Every structure is written in structure tokens, then in C-alpha cells.
Amino acid sequence: MPRSLTAVDPDVAAAVADERERQESTLGMIASENHVSEAVLEAQGTALTNKYAEGYPGDRYYGGCEHVDEVERLAVQRAKELWGAEHVNVQPHSGTQANMAVYFAVLEPGDRILSLSLSHGGHLSHGHSVNFSGQLYEVEQYEVDPETGYLDYEALRERAEAFDPDLVVSGSSAYPREFDYERFREIADAVDAYHLADIAHVTGLVAAGVHANPVEHADFVTGSTHKTIRAGRGGIIMCGEEHADEVDSAVFPGAQGGPLLHNIAGKGVGFGEALEPAFEEYAARVVANAQAMADRLRERGLSLVSGGTDKHLLLVDLRESHPDLTGKAAERALQDVGVVVNKNTVPGETRSPMVTSGIRIGTPGVTTRGFAESEAERVADLVADVLDDPDDEAVAARASDTVDHLCQEYPVYD
Ligand SMILES: *Cc1c(COP(=O)(O)O)cnc(C)c1O
């Protein structure tokens, strides 16, 4: 007889149930998070976790791979339809591993990477000194214009000419504006460098056509599959046929061992869902909700990096409106009323990354719950109320009530 998780391990079962309840009863607004469907959850929790399948479909080191081959082929085929790439590798365990494999495919240790600085919205895996990428490669970083909060492409071009990189990275974790991938292509071509577009955050927006697609302007496109695309935890790499073998062997055996087929099953299911027409509507609403929040927060006197957003996230710069409130304290005050966001550095940051002067707010998760612009505006108002009076108990009680009400009206899982 099968024994349930609760019967076998009540401690882990209780922690899992508590986490599920936390997700139901709070508004998850961390921009990199989302809520996958029950079908993706089910696919991830399957016997596929038992299978070793080093290699690629039809070409494995182990027997018994005929069914997992089918799972991986489906995920690859759907990804090709979603993003229009010639070649797709769905095996990276995460977005960081996807970037690692691209670096391994075309760079030697000591080669040069030009990427966006972490405090201006970049990612650890783009060459930060605490990450392997900053330790193996020589890294130079570009920044946003301190006045406008937008990328300064002229400065980027000059920096590329001075530094002569082997690889230029576009893409970010906290830059609220679209990237001009064509300009990145031109700049990379001018210095004879590869262009990697890391679309980790915007995979879903690109797939839905809400955001520009870098596939034709980049040699490599990498992403995370658990963010806006809502396909469960993992990574993905896309490239042209000419780099297919290099990328595949950089993933396995270069950077990883056996693929996580249960996760690849989740990716395939999530990609299938994203091919449905309803996903386009979802992605458009993610952006509309973020813009509605941005408008309301600005009306309430808050400053946003770049003044607003083109995508699923906003970056609130507290320095002008609330000079004594740190990102850390703001995150804490919002969490106390059930709005889960993250503290975030802002361009020109003077506080440490553990304290910061900003918060990043994302709409993918609440939009999955069913929020439209009116709900997004209500949340913006309660965020502004709490930031204005972080120690006021009456304000906090009212905000908590609104969060409770919204969570009940828009459950994550029924
Ligand atoms: C999230 C993210 C990644 C990958 O993160 P993982 O946690 O490794 O999946 C890579 N690049 C950017 C820009 C990101 O935002």
C-alpha cells in the first residue's frame, strides 16, 4: 500500500502544508516568483525523478530512456514554438546553470564579459565576484544613466570599445525597462563579441509577444523557467544550429550530470499551457497590472527607478520620499501585513546589499491569482499607506484586512 507523505514524514509534510498556506494567505510579489498550475506540480512530483538519462533524447548513456526521451522532446518542441529558436536545451537545472553552460561553450577562463552591474539590475551569474562567473572571467560592467534610470547605449558602446569583450550580456533581474536587443547586437558585432540575452525574468512576456524577442539578435538566449513563464523551477538555453553541439556538451558533460526529468516534465507542461491563447492575455495583464501599480505609487509620492515600467516589475527608490526608511525595513513592514516583496539595491546605492534603499515589486504571481488593474491599485495604495506609516498599528491592521480579503477572493489553488 502506498503511504502518504503525511504518514511517512509528518514533519516535512507539515512544513510543506505551512508553505502552501503561506502562499495562499499572503500576496507573493517577489518579481522572480510565480505560481505554477496543479498540472505542473503533478508532473514534477512523478516517478521521473528515479530515472538517469545522461545524454540527449535518442542518444543516452543508459537504457530504459524511451519514455523520458518523449518527455524531453515534448518540452524542446514546445519551447521552439514559444520562442522561435532553432535549437533548445531544456536540461539546465537553473538559470545560473544555463549561463554557466553558455560561458563554457564559447569562453576560456580569463576571457572578457561585459554585463550590467548588479546594483543597476544585473545578476550574480553575469560576473559578480562572489560567483564562479566573476572568478573565472574578466568582467567589466555597464550601468544605467543615473539621471534617467534608463540604459545609456552610447556609454555602453564606448565601454565595449574600450574593454573589447568576448561576450556582451543583455538582460537583468531588476531593470524595469525593455532591452533594445538590436542595439546590443550592433555593439557586440562592432567589437566582435558574442551576444548573450538572458531573459530569465521575461521568458513569459517574450513568449506571449508582449516583450521583444531577442532570439534573432543574440547568439544565445538563456532563461529561468519558473518566473513569468510559469513552468516550474529550472533553466533553458536557446541558440542557432551552429552552436547546438557546443551548448549541449557544455551542459552535459561540461557543467552537469544527469538531467532532472521530473522538472523537464514540468517545463513541458508549463510550456504547453503557455501556448494556449489565454497565456497572451495573462502576460499582457501582468504588464498592465505593474503599470497600474506604478501610476498609483507615483500619485502617492513615491519615486520609481526610470519613472515606471515596461514589464512585470517596479523598483521603488525610497531615498527621496522616505529617506529614513531602508529597503530592509520596508520589506519587513510589508511582510508584516502579508505583502511579500524584496529589498533591492537601486542605481547609485549607498547602503549595503543587505539593507538597501529600494524595494522590488512584481506582478506575475498576483496576476496568476486573477488580479486586474483595480486590485493592483488597491495593493499599491496599501503599500503606500504602510510605507508612509510603518509603525502605525491601525494602518497595518487595515492593510492586513485588505490582503486577507484579496487572498480569499483570489485563491492560488482552489
Ligand atoms: C533569476 C535570474 C537568473 C537565474 O537564476 P536561477 O536562480 O539560477 O534560476 C539568471 N539571470 C537573471 C537575470 C535572473 O534574474
Side-chain angles (χ1 to χ4, degrees):
M1 281 296 284
R3 294 178 66 218
S4 71
L5 176 60
T6 318
V8 173
D9 195 328
D11 299 333
V12 169
V16 171
D18 287 348
E19 171 56 16
R20 210 163 150 142
E21 176 51 26
R22 187 194 67 79
Q23 292 182 20
E24 286 291 348
S25 62
T26 56
L27 297 178
M29 302 194 78
I30 291 174
S32 49
E33 294 183 359
N34 209 333
H35 304 289
V36 300
S37 70
E38 294 275 13
V40 171
L41 286 184
E42 190 183 337
Q44 287 186 328
T46 57
L48 273 60
T49 196
N50 296 332
K51 190 72 196 94
Y52 244 112
E54 288 176 341
Y56 291 94
D59 190 18
R60 307 280 195 186
Y61 287 80
Y62 295 95
C65 287
E66 58 273 26
H67 305 299
V68 294
D69 276 3
E70 178 63 9
V71 166
E72 185 165 342
R73 280 200 190 99
L74 284 167
V76 167
Q77 181 191 319
R78 290 170 187 172
K80 285 182 177 173
E81 272 184 69
L82 282 173
W83 291 287
E86 279 175 14
H87 181 73
V88 173
N89 187 310
V90 292
Q91 292 192 4
H93 300 335
S94 77
T96 296
Q97 267 61 56
N99 288 338
M100 175 185 264
V102 168
Y103 303 154
F104 286 2
V106 292
L107 300 180
E108 295 297 329
D111 279 355
R112 295 177 170 190
I113 297 176
L114 179 62
S115 61
L116 180 62
S117 138
L118 187 65
S119 67
H120 288 237
H123 191 256
L124 288 168
S125 64
H126 293 179
H128 196 275
S129 58
V130 299
N131 183 262
F132 81 93
S133 54
Q135 292 156 13
L136 283 185
Y137 306 105
E138 197 186 326
V139 179
E140 175 96 2
Q141 303 215 289
Y142 56 89
E143 299 187 337
V144 301
D145 180 320
E147 293 302 312
T148 63
Y150 277 78
L151 280 178
D152 178 346
Y153 288 92
E154 225 11 71
L156 170 61
R157 193 179 54 79
E158 283 166 22
R159 194 154 286 205
E161 281 167 0
F163 181 58
D164 193 20
D166 300 288
L167 178 79
V168 179
V169 185
S170 62
S172 74
S173 301
Y175 179 62
R177 298 298 177 176
E178 279 211 58
F179 281 79
D180 185 339
Y181 299 116
E182 262 180 276
R183 287 195 82 173
F184 269 89
R185 171 84 273 167
E186 282 165 23
I187 291 165
D189 282 345
V191 296
D192 200 20
Y194 291 109
H195 172 206
L196 161 62
D198 177 350
I199 60 167
H201 266 258
V202 294
T203 43
L205 307 184
V206 172
V210 167
H211 201 94
N213 189 336
V215 160
E216 64 175 292
H217 306 298
D219 301 286
F220 307 95
V221 176
T222 54
S224 302
T225 53
H226 43 275
K227 299 181 182 175
T228 46
I229 190 66
R230 237 171 26 183
R233 205 147 281 281
I236 186 169
I237 305 174
M238 298 174 251
C239 63
E241 251 344 302
E242 71 277 20
H243 294 300
D245 291 344
E246 287 166 306
V247 161
D248 286 353
S249 54
V251 173
F252 172 81
Q256 296 185 173
L260 312 179
L261 262 315
H262 56 301
N263 269 52
I264 291 173
K267 291 175 191 180
V269 173
F271 296 165
E273 290 170 347
L275 284 165
E276 300 288 324
F279 190 80
E280 273 174 44
E281 225 171 277
Y282 163 72
R285 223 204 252 190
V286 166
V287 176
N289 286 347
Q291 289 173 338
M293 281 196 81
D295 290 346
R296 181 56 61 93
L297 288 173
R298 264 199 322 261
E299 280 165 28
R300 296 286 307 262
L302 287 146
S303 303
L304 303 177
V305 172
S306 84
T309 182
D310 297 332
K311 44 196 195 201
H312 62 295
L313 66 84
L314 11 139
L315 192 52
V316 179
D317 184 342
L318 295 163
R319 289 176 298 189
E320 248 176 60
S321 59
H322 301 75
D324 299 327
L325 185 64
T326 65
K328 184 181 178 183
E331 175 190 305
R332 180 81 245 169
L334 289 171
Q335 180 168 322
D336 286 345
V337 302
V339 177
V340 186
V341 301
N342 64 284
K343 61 181 176 293
N344 211 100
T345 51
V346 292
E349 183 61 72
T350 48
R351 295 183 171 115
S352 91
M354 294 310 291
V355 179
T356 81
S357 306
I359 50 171
R360 190 183 64 163
I361 306 178
T363 53
V366 293
T367 306
T368 293
R369 295 182 88 132
F371 278 26
E373 283 152 271
S374 62
E375 288 79 19
E377 282 165 6
R378 283 180 74 186
V379 175
D381 269 324
L382 81 82
V383 166
D385 291 344
V386 169
L387 297 182
D388 286 346
D389 284 298
D391 299 320
D392 188 316
E393 284 175 21
V395 168
R398 261 201 318 277
S400 285
D401 275 353
T402 306
V403 170
D404 287 347
H405 176 82
L406 286 168
C407 288
Q408 275 163 29
E409 196 173 342
Y410 299 97
V412 179
Y413 300 109
D414 286 320

